């Protein structure tokens, strides 16, 4: 039987598996991804990308294509029973209510197109999906020294090639350092390692149908929450002229499609029944369906979380394999991809010998908590949405105001922007007065976007674009005004020497690291490459005026290239910029913000606290 | 000898030839392009793209790549002699002073990379450059009926293949309906058809050098105009870390490199001499050149315009073939590409039988006037730049204030934004009160950008992105507020019927046209495709609030797709939008703006003046 070694084996090439595959490939990690399907998904399934997930796509250089190919949802429209029958619009409200979202909309695009974005990007880094392949067995070494060794391959997986020719064995053995089970709600990996799904199932049955309608309904291109006398309905406009409808089945209808085991039987209904419900729910507006339905399904809402996300920090599960919930809040695919986004840099740092294996414990710590929050949210939201609307005859129903308030309250959560990881070695308060140093930056949340101006050429940049998911920690030095304040210049000079100088903290940690071709900074015009640029990116954001600041004023030790120095000033066009210090709550004394490789704030320190910087990294770095 | 027919033959694949090639290929025109060079330019040559040219790139879908690959110049810095010797900065100012520029910066990128953008785009439409090929003879029929016939091929060109194998004839005959000579300053086509270059040559000798410097000069990434005691120098930062220097030679140096015929002899000097001048000019700042020079040249400024741009409207010349001037103002490549942009849609309309051949006369009318303006500007600007700076000892020199004022005054011109074509059948005042209907829109200038909101889904759009160079005329209907004002609703209903209804003006003109696959509008969800969408795009911009307007309120006759209806309101994020009526000077009564296929305003009409709309198009359409 064929045997081979691989650093990371990913099982499953859905959204979670592909996000991980692409990120590992971009980082130059030795990775292999297998999937049981002979080809990628063509239509249907999950389709909504939240604002935070768009930011994550952008950090991998993939947002442009996502936005170009997808549809944007800016507005949510709310329809409720009209006094005289049928429905009427109670109002429109922003679909995204998180004020700091860089992309203030959701993107909708069918899952196959989203997967294609990853597949093409991976290919440019030399990685393709091996398929159709299924795992047959998985075994993790019980030997502690093997489990703790950086050089061992303690996970043994037997894979079966479904397209093996007669006479071929069809199976092979893969020895992996790490395995990621991203194989969906019925995860083989999860079952094989003995984790259970804990939670419950509701009685609500929903149908989903993707089609191209002809209609006089004026909100067909907005997200709509419709509470009609004929049941609840959600409209999600999609790329091109496609529209997705989520339709709640009445109790009578639900009985027709649930079999004796309490499972959905899709042979009982066709999409025509769903379209009939849509026609009734939208009255007095008319809607018809000149073309064939593109995709449809029926489902029962269930909310469950896996008992654990990781076995000995050698086998991990991500995505639907660890959490299932209702699709209507548009969370499923987002949660899945963000699981992988959280995990990949950690495994990469350990594989490179940069970090202790303890870093890997933060994956379950951060993501399982999130999955539980998600399920709690989903229960509340689903109940609200599936409940009867308030009408003359039903004063106990859900009112428009209640629903709208919930919609907006949940905005930080549904957008993904408001997520905050709890304190851990990688999101850590180190200065007692951290909350004064940058009073609006919350450790454990994602670094917010801001337009800043590059000092050398006055070109405006979105700070997020300076924080790519390139596996490096970013140290953003808000230097204050070093031209006006002599003391501030001295403090910066001290920081530069103590952090970035030849014997500085970052140099000490950075020099020890293995050199990875992909993680290197660009060569500089003005200053030579620093020893720390493999592991760290250092950016300086000065206070001052673009007309007078000189990038050459920043101590050369901390400037790896002329392009790394910025000023917090308004752009020449006069619209954006100049609000970084103010919006982050940073005063004239400046601040040092450590941003993790996944874009989340690791710590906030005073400019003088180089010891804090050292403490932060020493805790988990080798 | 091989003989063939082609609708358009383009001779020369520099910027003018490639802009034309790409535009013809995108329009689906039968076109062929030949060039004498065996491969494309790798470095050097022209490199500056003005704001207006970026807008034109965007209209062909090419700006993203241009901006991604290029460098952006936002600031110009001005250095002058310091009292104690050397130079000092007098200030920085925006490099682009045209207030309506959509892209408020210039892009710099080497010519080979710019050409590659066109070459890749053409390839996606099935067109590649034939090379190395030179023309040997060109002959235009003297027969008037042949010249006027849409089906004839009255231009005969003999081409020689420079890479012909021994024994092959190496020549072929091409019969073309139209020929474009885009073969540069020493144009073979221009000489062959007997046009002369009229103008003069100055005494100023300049050197150009592209290299990667190491320096402490803080404005190395800004455009710099440096008047030093050692001569004038211009810095143009380029992609990556490359910098281009333009350096004026002293009279003594100039004598060394000019031969007896008054021409530059490049064997006399190397780039080292230019770098020495740079070192002297930048003092007290230091600059060194650790890498080899990428490209360099020497030139004498000359300003000339061709005696004519077109022979019998069958052979045209464009780009350097019709105008030469100094490169420092960054106009050359821009003027060349905009010549082609002006010409392509006109030839395309005539080839499709949509327009009379008289339309072609507007090319020389519009572009030769521009070339003359360009040369007048260039003379003034070059003299100012080449003149001695004002110092203690030289009170007659050019002061910083004079230079800055000239720089800003010329901003509309150098950015390309301020260009206004004179009245002609395609840029025409038809309503006596046109200037009141849209008081800030000037017929003959390019339609200014504005953010507007799509009514169906509240997605913000840049108006420019709704005006692609797809050969169609755009009719933008500013409808006013049709929900608040009953009279306005009636006026719009009348316009819709009289312009877009079955017997309407646009339908009458549109139905007669040949159907071209490429020029068709997208199929609509809500309304079926209109007969006029091949030739015209109709966009509606309402006054109103995004929260309450319905795209379904606009008469269906004028809505080819749900995506064609907009509202002039601020975007949900609250930054851009809501200023179209105000900034264009359009009142509550609305306006109809005709935008030419090249993005220039053709006419401005009142909503009631459907007769004016008819008059505009009937004058040049078949």
């Amino acid at each position: 039987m064929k045997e081979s070694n691989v650093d990371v084996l990913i099982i499953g090439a859905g959204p979670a598996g592909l996000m991980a595959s692409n990120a590992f490939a971009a980082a130059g990690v030795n990775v292999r991804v297998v999937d049981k399907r002979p080809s990628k998904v063509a239509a249907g399934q999950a389709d909504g990308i939240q604002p935070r997930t768009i930011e994550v796509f952008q950090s991998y250089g993939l947002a442009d294509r996502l936005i170009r190919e997808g549809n944007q949802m800016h507005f949510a429209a709310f329809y409720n029973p009209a006094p005289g029958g049928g429905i009427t619009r109670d109002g429109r409200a922003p679909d995204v209510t998180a004020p700091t979202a860089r992309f203030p909309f959701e993107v909708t695009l069918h899952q196959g197109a989203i997967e294609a974005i990853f597949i093409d990007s991976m290919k440019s880094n030399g990685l393709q999906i091996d398929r159709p392949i299924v795992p047959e067995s998985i075994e993790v070494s019980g030997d502690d020294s093997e489990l703790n060794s950086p050089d061992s391959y303690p996970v043994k997986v037997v894979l079966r090639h479904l397209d093996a020719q007669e006479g071929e064995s069809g199976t092979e053995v893969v020895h992996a350092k790490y395995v990621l089970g991203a194989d969906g709600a019925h995860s083989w990996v999860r079952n094989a390692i003995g984790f259970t799904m804990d939670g419950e199932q509701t009685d609500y049955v929903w149908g989903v149908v993707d089609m191209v309608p002809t209609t006089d309904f004026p909100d067909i291109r907005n997200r709509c929450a419709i509470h009609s006398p004929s049941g609840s309905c959600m409209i999600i406009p999609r790329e091109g002229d496609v529209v997705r409808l989520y339709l709640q089945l009445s109790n009578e209808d639900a009985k027709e499609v649930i079999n004796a085991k309490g499972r959905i039987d899709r042979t009982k209904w066709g999409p025509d029944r769903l379209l009939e419900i849509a026609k009734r729910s939208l009255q007095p507006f008319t809607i018809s369906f000149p073309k064939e339905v593109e995709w449809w399904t029926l489902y029962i809402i269930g909310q469950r979380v896996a008992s654990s996300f990781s076995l000995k920090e050698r086998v991990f599960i991500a995505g639907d394999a660890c959490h299932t919930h209702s699709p209507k809040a548009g969370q499923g695919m987002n949660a899945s991809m963000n699981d992988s986004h959280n995990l990949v840099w950690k495994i990469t740092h350990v594989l490179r010998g940069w970090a202790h294996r303890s870093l890997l414990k933060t994956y379950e710590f951060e993501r399982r908590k999130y999955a539980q929050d998600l399920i709690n949210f989903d229960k509340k939201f689903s109940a609200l949405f599936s409940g009867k609307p308030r009408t003359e005859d039903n004063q106990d129903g859900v009112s428009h105001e209640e629903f709208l308030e919930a919609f907006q309250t949940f905005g930080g959560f549904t957008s993904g922007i408001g997520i905050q990881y709890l304190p851990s070695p990688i999101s850590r308060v180190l200065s007692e007065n951290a909350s004064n140093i940058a009073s609006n930056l919350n450790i454990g949340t994602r670094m917010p976007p801001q337009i800043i101006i590059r000092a050398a050429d006055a070109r405006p940049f979105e700070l997020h674009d300076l924080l790519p998911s390139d596996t490096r920690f970013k140290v953003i030095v808000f230097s204050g005004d070093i031209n006006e304040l002599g003391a501030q210049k001295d403090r910066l000079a001290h920081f530069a020497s103590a952090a970035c100088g030849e014997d500085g903290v970052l140099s000490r940690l950075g020099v020890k690291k293995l050199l990875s071709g992909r993680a290197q900074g660009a060569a500089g015009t003005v200053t030579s490459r620093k020893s720390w640029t493999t592991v760290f990116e250092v950016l300086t954001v000065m206070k001052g005026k673009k007309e007078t600041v000189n990038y050459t004023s920043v101590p050369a030790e901390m400037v790896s290239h002329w392009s790394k120095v910025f000023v917090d000033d308004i752009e020449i066009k006069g619209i954006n910029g100049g609000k970084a210090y103010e919006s982050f709550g940073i005063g004239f004394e400046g601040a040092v913000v450590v941003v993790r490789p996944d874009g989340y704030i690791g710590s906030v320190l005073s400019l003088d606290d180089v010891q804090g910087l050292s403490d932060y990294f020493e805790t988990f770095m080798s």
Side-chain angles (χ1 to χ4, degrees), chain A:
Chain A
M1 208 160 12
K2 190 187 151 200
E3 298 211 13
S4 61
N5 286 353
V6 71
D7 284 359
V8 180
L9 174 66
I10 298 170
I11 297 170
L18 288 174
M19 170 67 86
S21 302
N22 177 61
F24 278 125
V29 168
N30 174 232
V31 60
R32 185 167 169 199
V33 52
V34 301
D35 194 83
K36 66 181 176 189
R37 296 169 297 179
S39 63
K40 73 183 174 70
V41 173
Q45 304 206 14
D47 61 1
I49 308 287
Q50 302 166 343
R52 173 58 193 157
T53 312
I54 307 174
E55 293 177 359
V56 172
F57 269 67
Q58 175 70 4
S59 77
Y60 290 99
L62 304 177
D64 280 355
R65 177 166 162 191
L66 177 74
I67 292 171
R68 192 173 60 243
E69 294 186 7
N71 174 68
Q72 296 175 20
M73 289 199 301
H74 290 262
F75 255 153
F78 303 91
Y79 282 78
N80 283 296
I87 56 170
T88 186
R89 185 169 69 212
D90 273 325
R92 291 171 178 158
D95 182 49
V96 171
T97 53
T100 70
R102 175 179 180 184
F103 304 97
F105 50 83
E106 288 181 74
V107 167
T108 54
L109 182 62
H110 76 83
Q111 187 170 325
I114 292 165
E115 293 181 4
I117 294 172
F118 288 119
I119 289 170
D120 290 346
S121 171
M122 283 158 53
K123 204 181 286 174
S124 73
N125 284 311
L127 179 62
Q128 298 201 41
I129 304 168
D130 272 347
R131 57 168 132 215
I133 287 176
V134 291
E136 281 203 335
S137 71
I138 184 167
E139 206 176 299
V140 184
S141 166
D143 181 322
D144 273 357
S145 71
E146 206 179 336
L147 285 172
N148 292 327
S149 160
D151 302 320
S152 69
Y153 295 84
V155 193
K156 179 182 167 188
V157 180
V158 177
L159 297 177
R160 170 171 296 279
H161 291 252
L162 298 180
D163 60 354
Q165 303 296 307
E166 255 191 67
E168 290 178 3
S169 97
T171 55
E172 61 165 316
V173 176
V174 177
H175 300 278
K177 289 183 175 171
Y178 296 95
V179 168
L180 177 61
D183 48 350
H186 305 288
S187 173
W188 178 92
V189 174
R190 185 188 65 221
N191 292 331
I193 58 179
F195 294 169
T196 55
M197 289 298 274
D198 308 331
E200 57 207 36
Q201 180 169 311
T202 68
D203 296 330
Y204 303 122
V205 179
W206 284 74
V208 189
V209 58
D210 288 349
M211 43 76 222
V212 176
T214 296
T215 183
D216 61 357
F217 181 66
D219 285 286
I220 195 71
R221 299 304 306 175
N222 289 323
R223 175 204 281 268
C224 294
I226 297 168
H227 290 99
S228 92
S230 314
S232 292
C233 167
M234 182 173 274
I235 294 178
I236 304 285
R238 280 256 307 271
E239 69 275 13
D241 293 331
V242 177
V243 173
R244 168 168 288 188
L245 301 177
Y246 287 97
L247 299 148
Q248 186 180 11
L249 270 61
S250 66
N251 291 343
E252 297 72 42
D253 286 345
K255 280 178 199 147
E256 281 189 39
V257 297
I258 296 186
N259 66 18
K261 291 182 186 161
R263 296 242 172 113
I264 294 285
D265 181 351
R266 284 192 191 76
T267 61
K268 293 284 168 63
W269 265 45
D272 293 352
R273 295 289 293 271
L274 293 171
L275 298 178
E276 274 170 38
I277 302 177
K279 282 188 178 185
R280 278 203 309 276
S281 301
L282 283 178
Q283 281 170 10
F285 300 99
T286 62
I287 186 165
S288 61
F289 310 96
K291 292 183 185 176
E292 258 186 65
V293 158
E294 296 205 349
W295 183 79
W296 74 283
T297 193
L298 293 169
Y299 65 90
I300 304 178
I301 296 179
Q303 287 120 345
R304 295 189 180 85
V305 180
S307 51
S308 178
F309 282 23
S310 151
L311 179 64
K312 301 176 184 174
E313 283 80 48
R314 286 293 183 173
V315 180
F316 299 88
I317 53 175
D320 289 351
C322 4
H323 38 71
T324 62
H325 30 82
S326 77
K328 275 189 321 303
Q331 301 301 310
M333 184 161 53
N334 294 280
S336 297
M337 295 192 291
N338 283 302
D339 284 344
S340 297
H341 177 60
N342 182 283
L343 178 62
V344 167
W345 72 268
K346 297 172 181 174
I347 292 180
T348 302
H349 275 228
V350 173
L351 281 171
R352 288 183 184 156
W354 294 358
H356 303 299
R357 280 191 21 87
S358 63
L359 175 62
L360 301 175
K361 289 188 188 291
T362 62
Y363 169 66
E364 172 166 318
F365 176 77
E366 295 188 328
R367 296 304 297 176
R368 189 153 187 274
K369 166 74 167 53
Y370 166 75
Q372 283 164 330
D373 290 348
L374 172 57
I375 277 165
N376 291 335
F377 155 77
D378 189 40
K379 284 180 184 168
K380 288 183 208 160
F381 191 73
S382 289
L384 209 56
F385 200 80
S386 296
K388 287 272 175 208
R390 181 173 301 179
T391 58
E392 291 280 307
D393 306 332
N394 176 18
Q395 289 292 327
D396 297 333
V398 181
S399 75
H400 170 57
E401 289 68 28
E402 275 178 277
F403 190 78
L404 184 60
E405 196 193 322
F407 185 81
Q408 290 174 335
T409 305
F410 293 144
F413 195 84
T414 54
S415 66
I417 301 294
I419 290 167
Q420 180 165 19
Y421 294 133
L422 293 181
S424 79
I426 51 172
S427 281
R428 193 173 161 206
V429 177
L430 281 154
S431 299
E432 281 191 26
N433 62 339
S435 62
N436 293 328
I437 295 169
S439 54
N440 300 330
L441 292 181
N442 297 315
I443 293 171
T445 62
R446 73 96 166 80
M447 185 69 191
Q450 268 300 320
I451 303 288
I452 53 179
I453 309 298
R454 194 157 68 182
D457 61 1
R459 175 171 165 177
F461 276 80
E462 170 48 64
L463 174 57
H464 271 200
D465 290 337
L466 307 169
L467 310 173
S469 291
D470 62 0
T471 79
R472 293 193 294 174
F473 277 86
K474 317 299 186 299
V475 178
I476 312 178
V477 182
F478 292 88
S479 68
D481 188 336
I482 55 173
N483 291 313
E484 292 290 315
L485 300 166
Q488 203 60 18
K489 189 163 186 137
D490 294 343
R491 294 177 70 208
L492 188 66
H494 173 260
F495 175 88
S497 165
C500 303
E502 257 182 55
D503 303 317
V505 171
L506 301 187
S507 306
R508 211 172 60 234
L509 288 161
V511 173
K512 278 193 281 180
K513 308 309 168 201
L514 295 170
L515 275 169
S516 153
R518 295 184 175 282
Q520 287 173 19
T525 319
V526 176
T527 52
S528 60
R529 200 162 65 72
K530 310 299 177 192
S531 55
W532 38 262
T533 54
T534 304
V535 185
F536 304 103
E537 168 82 296
V538 176
L539 303 169
T540 306
V541 184
M542 301 186 277
K543 264 185 100 72
K545 290 287 155 207
K546 60 189 174 298
E547 286 81 5
T548 52
V549 293
N550 295 321
Y551 77 95
T552 46
S553 306
V554 176
E557 292 130 305
M558 57 189 291
V559 180
S560 63
H561 188 259
W562 60 263
S563 61
K564 307 300 180 186
V565 181
F566 297 82
V567 58
D568 183 27
D569 196 8
I570 197 161
E571 60 179 354
I572 290 175
K573 208 171 181 178
I575 295 174
N576 298 300
K579 293 187 178 159
Y581 278 73
E582 181 194 335
S583 71
F584 298 158
I586 297 172
F588 66 89
E589 294 200 313
V592 174
V593 179
V594 177
V595 180
R596 301 166 18 168
D598 56 5
Y600 286 75
I601 299 173
S603 200
V604 172
L605 300 155
S606 106
L607 201 54
D608 307 317
D609 191 7
V610 180
Q611 183 58 47
L613 196 67
S614 176
D615 290 348
Y616 176 83
F617 288 116
E618 297 277 5
T619 307
F620 60 89
M621 281 196 166
S622 312

